[in-house]
Structures are given as C-alpha cells and as structure tokens.
Amino acid sequence: MGHVVSAPGKTAAESPRPQKNYLNEQSGLWSWLTTVDHKRIGIMYLIGIAIAFLLGGLMALLVRLTLLTPDHKIFGSSTPILSAEAYNQVFTLHGAIMVFLFIIPSVPAALGNFVLPLMLGAKDVAFPRLNLVSWYIYVIGAIMAVASILLGGIDTGWTFYTPYSTTTGGAVTLMTMAAFVLGFSSIFTGINFIATVHKLRAPGMGWFQMPLFVWGIYSTAIIQVLATPVLGITLVLLALERVFNVGIFDARLGGDPVLFQHFFWFYSHPAVYIMILPGMAIISELMPTFSRKTIFGYRAIAFSSIAIALISFIVWGHHMFVSGQSQMASVIFSFLTFLVAIPSGIKVLNWVATMYKGNVSLEAPMLYAISFLLLFSIGGLTGLFLGALSTDVHLTDTYFIVAHFHYVMMGGTVIAFIGGLHYWWPKMTGRMYNEFWAKVACALTFIGFNMTFLTQFFLGSQGMPRRYYNYLDQFQPLHAFSTFGSWVLGLGLFITAGCLLASLRKPYDAPDNPWGGTTLEWATQSPPITHNFEGQPVLEREPYDYRPVGAKVGH
Amino acid sequence: MSMTVVDTPGHGHHGHDPNQQHHFASMAQQFDSAKIGMWLFLATEILLFGGLFVGYGIMQGQHAEAFKSAHHHLDKRLGFLNTVVLLVSSWTMVMAVYSASVNKRKATVILLIITLLCAGTFMVVKYFEYSHKIHDGLLPGKYFSYKGPHLERERMFFSFYFMMTGLHGIHVLLGMVAISWLIFRANRGDFSSSWYTPVDLVGLYWHLVDLIWIYLFPLLYLIQ
Amino acid sequence: MSAHEHDHASSHGDHHGPKNPPRVFTAVLIALLILTFITVGASYVNFGSDSVNVVIALTIATIKASLVALFFMHLKYDKPVNALIAVSGFLFLGLFLLFPLIDFESRMDADDPAYQSKPAAIAPTAPAAPQH
C-alpha cells in the first residue's frame, strides 16, 4: 500500500493525539456559523440533512402506520391514526422534505463539501464564502418549508401538479417559495464544485487522475447548474398563478396544465440524477478500496457519469405518459428513456468486475456498497417497466412506482450515502465507529428495506394506487407486511445513528488511512488540519493504484 | 506531526497580491476560477429566463392572433429607445472594463457613471410604459381590465409582458446596485491592471441583461 | 509552490484581447445599432407570412446576441471553457423548448373534424368499437 502523494513533513502513520485539526483549532458556536472552511460547512450540512432525514423518516413511519389496517385504527382505538386530510399532508411533506431538504443536498453538499477539495488536493473550494452563503440559504429554505407545515400544510404531493396546486388551500405558495430558495442553495453548491474541479486540482492531477467520486459530483453539479433554474422559474410561475391567475397553466384561461408538468419535470427528472449520481460516485470509491484492486473501467465509469447527466435532460416526458401529452411525444420520450439504462448498466458491470478476483473485505462501508448493487439493480430494472409506454400505462400512479423510486432513491442513494458516511467518518471526526453494531444496523436496514418496498411492487402490480388513504381489504396483508418492514428499517437506521454518534464520545482514535484508500483525502491526518494538507500535495500515482510502491506504473 | 501552524507557501500573504485569497496558488488561477463561476451563474440566468421564453413560445403558438393583436398596445418607439439605451450602456461597460485593465482610473469611473445613467434611463422609460399600461387596465392575470375591443387571450400576452419585463427590470435594478458599488470602489482606486475582477464580472452580468433584452424586444414589441 | 496548472506573473497574462479594443468595441456597437434599425424596419414589412417575420426578427436578435457575447463578453478571446458554458446554457434551453413544442405541435388539433367527431363516437348509443 503506497502513499500516492509526497506531503512534505509528513511521515509517521500514527501521530500523538489530540492534535491540532479543523475541529479544535477554533471553538465556539460563532466560529462555526462564520466559518468558510469547506469541512466545517460540510459538517453543518450533515447536521441539517440529518434533522431533515429524521423528520421525513418519522413522517414515513406515520404514513406506513396509518396504512396498517384499512380503517386506519390500531389497538382497538376509536379514531384513525391520521385523518384523510392529515394523511395527504404528511405524505406530501415526507416527499418534499426528503427530496428538497435531504437527498438533493445529502451527498454533494454534506459529503461532497467535505471530501471533494481533499480529494483534489486543494485547500478549499473555489468560492468559500459562496459555500457558506449556500448553507444559510439552505437553512432559510428549510425554515420556510417547516413553517409551511405550521401555516396550513400542503396536500399536493411533492410534484405540485396544477390545477390542484393552484386551487387547493393551505401553504402551497410558501412551500413552493421554500423549494425555490433551496434551489439556489443547490445552484451555488454546483457552481462552486464545477469551478473547483476545473481550477483547483493538485499538480499532476489531470482529468483522468481524478477520483471517480469527483467525476460523479462534477456530473451532478452540471445538472444542478443547468436544471435547477428552471425549477426556480416554474415555482415562481406557480406562485404567480395562485396570486394573479396569470393563466399559463389554466385551461380556462387558454393555458395548459400539461405545460406545468413539462416545466416541472425538466428540472425534476434531471434532479433524480442529482440524487443518484452522487450515490454512484460513492460506490465507485468503496468498490476499489474494499476490493484492494484498481477500479475496472475507470474511463467508462467517468464518461458514463457525464452521459447520465446529459441524457437525464431529454427523458422527462416519461413521467407524463398518461398526462395528455401527445402520443408522438410519449413515443419519443419512451425511446430516449431506455438510453439511460446503458451508462447505468456500464457502471454496475464495472463495479462487479472490480470485485471480481479482488481481495474483498466486508467492513460496513463495503456491506452498504454491496447492498447498493443489489437494490439499485432492482430499482433500475423495474425502471425499464415504467419507461416502456405500454406497461407504464398500467403501472402509473400505483405502488409499483413508489417501490421503484424508493429502490433507486433509498436503496440506491441513501444506502450509498450511509456507506460513504461510514467510510469517511474516521476522516471527518477522527473516530472509528463500532464495526459490529454498524454491521448489525446494515443488515437490519437491508432486510427492513426489502420487506417494506419489495412488497409494494406486488401491491402496485395488483392495482393499488399510490397516495390513496383508503384501500380494499384484499390489500391488507401486503400493506401490513410493508408496515412491519418499515419498523425493521427504522430500527436499523436508529442503530446506525446511535453507532455513529456513540463514537464521538471517544478520544481521537482513527488512523489517517484506516481503509488503505489511495485517494488524496487519506494522505492527510484524521481529522484534517484547517488547511487540509501541510504544503501542496503532488499527485504521483494514478488513483486506485494498489500495486506496491516501485511497481511499474502504466496502463 | 507538529502542534504549530505550519506556514507553508500558499497561505499567508507574504509576497502576494493582497487581493489573492489563501486557497489559490496564483492570481491567474483565482481570476480563471472567478470567470468560470460567473459564466456558470450566467448559464443559470439564461435558463431562469428560459422558462419564461419557453412559456411564451408555446403560448404564442397557441394564441397567435391574440398575441399579434395585443402587441399593438406596446409602443415600438419606446422599445426601440430602450434597446438603443441598453446597447450604448453595454458599450460604456465594456469600455469601463478595458479602462480598468489599462489603469485608466478616471475613465473607468466616468464610463461606469454613464452606464449607470443609461440603466436609469431605461428604468424611467419602463416606468412610463408601465404607467400607461396600468392606466389602460392592461394588467396581468385577474387584474386585466381593458375596456376597449380585444381578443380574450390578450390577457395572456400581458401576463407574459409583465413577467418577462418585470424579471428583466429586477435584473436591471440589481445591475444598477452592482455598478454603483463598482463606481465607489473604482473611485477609491481599488482596481488596477493586476486586479479588476469585479469590474469584469459585473460587466459580464450587465451584458447578459442586455443580451436578454435583445430577445425580449422583438418578441414583445415586433411580432407580426 | 509548484502549484496548479497555470502560473502567470499577471492574472491577465493569458488574456488575449483585440489589438485595438476601443475601436473594435465601437465598431461592434455601430453594428448592433444598425441591426436594431433593420429589425424595427423589417417589422413594418409584411413578408407574406407571420412566421417569416418572426424568423427574421429572431435571426437578427441572434446575430446581435452573438456579437455581444463574442466581443463585449470577450468570449472570442477568452478560455474556451467559458464559451462552452455559455453555449451549454443555450443548448439546454433549446432542449427545454424542443420537447414541449413537439408535444404541442403533435397533439390532436381541437378544430380538426376527426377530433370533433369523437364525442359522438364514445356516446353511450354509439357502437362500442375500439377507438383511438
């Protein structure tokens, strides 16, 4: 295992602790709220999204509990757990919070902020102050979103479809403005990362010496920059529709509600890839590190990230097959949708090939990576059913699609995120988590997830519509099984949180490079010093080069 | 691992331009990064306005007759005047950037002031146009109360007219704030040939505002 | 500090502007003003079809926008990456317009007699033949 860098003044693998690092060099709340250090901002994002995940997760558990029985009552109580109106609001907020407050910023803004500059051998992102601003914008957006719960709630679903969203009561305008504000947070993060990748790579690091995590985050940033503004203007138009009746989405005034769906999905389909690409990016790090083997098909993975980002912009109409868009448009969109499967398949192939004949060690991050492979494959393949025009008409707006996107979003991104969190936890906090409990939690999460959502494929294919409060008695066994699964899943996630948080009580005990990683973030101490590296690291070997130092380097 | 803060090359400001931030290795790197960042921001602006342009394009196609009829309420001469004003302001802006890059401080300040005056003129003309529309009841959405003969969907045209020129006007106002800030700093002597990044970046923003108007003008005032 | 890819003495060391900037910029301004006159003039002429007028107006606008981007915004002399970003912005805007246009243009026209006859075909008294 060779170091990939020559960092001046740095030889000892183990150093006396506690040492000076970005966590303890300054202290006090004020030093955090005014920091421009990408690592601290990453941690602040992590706290923000953890709160959002907890909130959204509790709402999910509540939704599942409500659906346990057809009359929504448990333990012989006389009132339902949630009234129909409350149920509509809770699932809407679950979706909106999970999408806008959790998944979109999860990997890029929290882990990416922390890791990306380290991986590039840079001292910070290109625009540190903009980075802090984006965090404050995120917090303002989050407060607006929570305020909309208190000021009447919203029941439109996270998609805000017209004409319902322009006519229903509640705090829809406030919620759309919250999403608008959160969009700017996302845009600024994207701008920052693109400029950082272009200009702040360490000497010796060309585009194809960048870690694949960087490629994934870079592709994500392209989408953030090019798609998010359209969400902004769409939500402004929706708000103007509510306030002024401008009529663009109102058929009575000569507008067209389907146009809203075009606008919404022009952002929100690429946004799906804002969510999954960073998850894939993490897996591309975990696979070689825990297989002790050079990544298979580096360039294929790098280019497939870019390809996914670009293709994501031309497939949005597959959300609209039954919306009333023209058949011509549906056919074109259905055809284009299948293109996404190609780069996704390339990635899966390359990850599996990386493990093949590797020296695979099954620490918790790798268990998450393997979970990802299984769950994402299911999510991806069921996506083909939905991309095909004829089957989609049957499956649209059923639990099948709920199961599909949870397999991709949660089984994909969230699992990868948790895996990445375990992987970089020693770097971020300087502490090792308890491996045993992490593995238990991983197993429970995997089992609970499949209990919850595999069930829903069956529910959906049998015709159970999504978002419905009431259901036929015949669906009760499957609904109940799904709800039991959500408890197992919830337990797994709580143990994960407890396991990670418990490690913070310990003194610093993490080595600089606990996993034998080859990328630059492992070349500095754990936790890193404020300026990341002592001196400017220079890249001397390719990423994922696990051959001993001195071996001939080349392709 | 030492306990002291190591003063490695790159941090600290010894021997560096005072405008260089610690995480950049050189002024050129910092300048290039700022440029990329600004262009990315401009791309987001293009797509932000783009939503309105796409909506306009689709709805104009649906209600071509009404849009054609509605545009007669706009005064081509005022639209033309504002186009000329903005084009001239773009020229003074690019000249201000050039002056800053060759250390002509006084010329920079004067050119920026002219740019600001042009922007002000644009807004004044816009104010008269808006007043006229408001007086006639040619307002967006449910406030449309025009009494004269008109087609039903002309209301939609004025929704777009106010949203597009309104968003553009907000950008002009923000540009005026930014240019005022530049005038203050240029006058104080903050810029020189080795560092005039803010002038360059605000210049890019201002040209984009001009560029968007170049499309708004024919679409709103000149459609046949 | 061997540092990053670029290491110029001056921040603008690689900034290749035009030879005589004031002259070039002034020439561009004059061209822009002339084009503005032309586009206003063209709007008074009837070319036989409304869409011809729109095409002419948008073509002139695009020429003007290109002049502004190339010269005033320095893209002609700047690093290619910035031009790439600018072009991407317009390209993706094009995609954003293209697909809704395809949708709207290929929808069944409400004035089409075939469309108008449909309600009758699915009325309860009509034969239950499969319809499309």
Side-chain angles (χ1 to χ4, degrees), chain A residues 218-390:
Chain A
Y218 178 77
S219 313
T220 309
I222 292 175
I223 310 178
Q224 285 177 304
V225 168
L226 290 175
T228 317
V230 174
L231 175 75
I233 197 70
T234 306
L235 296 176
V236 168
L237 284 172
L238 182 60
L240 290 174
E241 190 78 46
R242 281 178 74 91
V243 180
F244 292 106
N245 285 114
V246 287
I248 300 163
F249 304 135
D250 189 341
R252 287 169 308 179
L253 300 175
D256 193 321
V258 176
L259 190 61
F260 174 83
Q261 297 189 24
H262 279 298
F263 272 55
F264 181 82
W265 288 112
F266 180 84
Y267 164 74
S268 293
H269 190 73
V272 169
Y273 296 91
I274 293 180
M275 305 180 211
I276 190 65
L277 273 171
M280 295 168 157
I282 291 174
I283 302 305
S284 301
E285 293 301 315
L286 299 182
M287 282 299 171
T289 305
F290 292 94
S291 303
R292 301 286 179 275
K293 187 161 160 274
T294 309
I295 189 93
F296 183 86
Y298 172 93
R299 285 187 185 224
I301 294 181
F303 284 130
S304 65
S305 293
I306 300 288
I308 288 174
L310 299 183
I311 295 172
S312 77
F313 280 92
I314 51 172
V315 300
W316 78 81
H318 66 221
H319 297 270
M320 299 165 58
F321 287 160
V322 298
S323 69
Q325 78 176 343
S326 75
Q327 294 188 2
M328 163 86 96
S330 291
V331 169
I332 293 170
F333 278 126
S334 179
F335 171 75
L336 291 173
T337 296
F338 287 102
L339 293 180
V340 185
I342 299 169
S344 308
I346 288 173
K347 278 179 187 281
V348 172
L349 174 88
N350 283 317
W351 293 323
V352 175
T354 302
M355 289 166 72
Y356 178 68
K357 286 190 175 173
N359 184 8
V360 177
S361 63
L362 295 175
E363 278 108 342
M366 188 59 168
L367 290 180
Y368 279 106
I370 294 169
S371 302
F372 172 97
L373 268 189
L374 296 169
L375 301 178
F376 175 74
S377 297
I378 295 173
L381 290 172
T382 51
L384 295 176
F385 292 60
L386 296 166
L389 203 41
S390 49

Side-chain angles (χ1 to χ4, degrees), chain A residues 198-201 203 226 230 256 258 262 266 310 313-314 316 324-326 328 333 336 536, chain C residues 2-6 79 81 85 88-89 92-93 95-96 99-100 102-104 106-107 132:
Chain A
H198 272 272
K199 301 309 302 180
L200 289 175
R201 300 192 305 275
L226 290 175
V230 174
D256 193 321
V258 176
H262 279 298
F266 180 84
L310 299 183
F313 280 92
I314 51 172
W316 78 81
Q325 78 176 343
S326 75
M328 163 86 96
F333 278 126
L336 291 173
Q536 172 66 58
Chain C
S2 63
H4 305 243
E5 345 161 32
H6 300 289
K79 292 220 157 59
V81 64
I85 294 168
S88 306
F92 282 82
L93 180 57
L95 290 175
F96 182 25
F99 286 98
I102 291 174
D103 173 19
F104 277 79
S106 59
R107 285 209 203 147
H132 255 299

Side-chain angles (χ1 to χ4, degrees), chain C residues 60-82:
Chain C
I60 294 174
T62 303
I63 296 170
K64 286 166 71 181
S66 309
L67 286 174
V68 169
L70 285 174
F71 294 96
F72 287 178
M73 298 171 97
H74 305 123
L75 280 183
K76 189 171 188 291
Y77 314 102
D78 211 344
K79 292 220 157 59
V81 64
N82 295 326

Side-chain angles (χ1 to χ4, degrees), chain A residues 40-341:
Chain A
R40 285 186 159 209
I41 294 170
I43 299 284
M44 283 167 19
Y45 262 116
L46 191 60
I47 295 167
I49 61 164
I51 295 169
F53 188 54
L54 179 68
L55 241 133
L58 291 175
M59 285 173 178
L61 289 172
L62 199 56
V63 164
R64 281 301 341 147
L65 192 65
T66 308
L67 295 172
L68 181 60
T69 59
D71 61 358
H72 315 298
K73 297 168 186 163
I74 49 166
F75 308 129
S77 68
S78 57
T79 51
I81 296 158
L82 289 176
S83 68
E85 292 73 26
Y87 173 84
N88 286 347
Q89 297 196 354
V90 170
F91 82 67
T92 297
L93 287 166
H94 163 70
I97 287 177
M98 284 301 198
V99 168
F100 293 115
L101 288 174
F102 172 65
I103 300 193
I104 287 177
S106 65
V107 182
L111 293 179
N113 239 324
F114 192 97
V115 176
L116 182 114
L118 286 168
M119 281 185 158
L120 294 174
K123 290 196 191 73
D124 208 322
V125 291
F127 315 116
R129 276 173 298 183
L130 186 68
N131 204 12
L132 183 65
V133 168
S134 87
W135 183 76
Y136 276 104
I137 293 175
Y138 170 78
V139 172
I140 292 168
I143 291 170
M144 287 169 73
V146 173
S148 71
I149 304 176
L150 306 174
L151 298 173
I154 48 162
D155 58 356
T156 61
W158 78 280
T159 45
F160 309 119
Y161 271 12
T162 53
Y164 187 68
S165 61
T166 50
T167 49
T168 182
V172 177
T173 308
L174 185 61
M175 189 64 178
T176 53
M177 286 304 101
F180 176 80
V181 169
L182 288 166
F184 276 94
S185 168
S186 183
I187 287 173
F188 290 153
T189 303
I191 289 177
N192 227 329
F193 286 175
I194 293 180
T196 308
V197 169
H198 272 272
K199 301 309 302 180
L200 289 175
R201 300 192 305 275
M205 188 185 283
W207 282 87
F208 294 106
Q209 281 81 44
M210 293 196 310
L212 287 164
F213 180 77
V214 177
W215 272 102
I217 296 291
Y218 178 77
S219 313
T220 309
I222 292 175
I223 310 178
Q224 285 177 304
V225 168
L226 290 175
T228 317
V230 174
L231 175 75
I233 197 70
T234 306
L235 296 176
V236 168
L237 284 172
L238 182 60
L240 290 174
E241 190 78 46
R242 281 178 74 91
V243 180
F244 292 106
N245 285 114
V246 287
I248 300 163
F249 304 135
D250 189 341
R252 287 169 308 179
L253 300 175
D256 193 321
V258 176
L259 190 61
F260 174 83
Q261 297 189 24
H262 279 298
F263 272 55
F264 181 82
W265 288 112
F266 180 84
Y267 164 74
S268 293
H269 190 73
V272 169
Y273 296 91
I274 293 180
M275 305 180 211
I276 190 65
L277 273 171
M280 295 168 157
I282 291 174
I283 302 305
S284 301
E285 293 301 315
L286 299 182
M287 282 299 171
T289 305
F290 292 94
S291 303
R292 301 286 179 275
K293 187 161 160 274
T294 309
I295 189 93
F296 183 86
Y298 172 93
R299 285 187 185 224
I301 294 181
F303 284 130
S304 65
S305 293
I306 300 288
I308 288 174
L310 299 183
I311 295 172
S312 77
F313 280 92
I314 51 172
V315 300
W316 78 81
H318 66 221
H319 297 270
M320 299 165 58
F321 287 160
V322 298
S323 69
Q325 78 176 343
S326 75
Q327 294 188 2
M328 163 86 96
S330 291
V331 169
I332 293 170
F333 278 126
S334 179
F335 171 75
L336 291 173
T337 296
F338 287 102
L339 293 180
V340 185

Side-chain angles (χ1 to χ4, degrees), chain C residues 8-130:
Chain C
H8 299 286
S10 148
S11 68
H12 301 268
D14 56 344
H15 193 163
H16 307 291
K19 282 228 169 60
N20 185 349
R23 233 173 107 177
V24 172
F25 295 147
T26 308
V28 170
L29 175 68
I30 291 166
L32 287 169
L33 292 174
I34 292 170
L35 285 165
T36 307
F37 273 108
I38 293 174
T39 191
V40 172
S43 77
Y44 288 101
V45 182
N46 188 349
F47 291 97
S49 155
D50 289 351
S51 50
V52 176
N53 276 71
V54 173
V55 168
I56 290 172
L58 287 181
T59 308
I60 294 174
T62 303
I63 296 170
K64 286 166 71 181
S66 309
L67 286 174
V68 169
L70 285 174
F71 294 96
F72 287 178
M73 298 171 97
H74 305 123
L75 280 183
K76 189 171 188 291
Y77 314 102
D78 211 344
K79 292 220 157 59
V81 64
N82 295 326
L84 182 68
I85 294 168
V87 170
S88 306
F90 283 102
L91 203 68
F92 282 82
L93 180 57
L95 290 175
F96 182 25
L97 178 64
L98 175 68
F99 286 98
L101 265 185
I102 291 174
D103 173 19
F104 277 79
E105 291 305 312
S106 59
R107 285 209 203 147
M108 187 72 91
D109 188 347
D111 297 330
D112 192 323
Y115 182 87
Q116 304 236 310
S117 71
K118 279 194 105 181
I122 53 170
T125 49

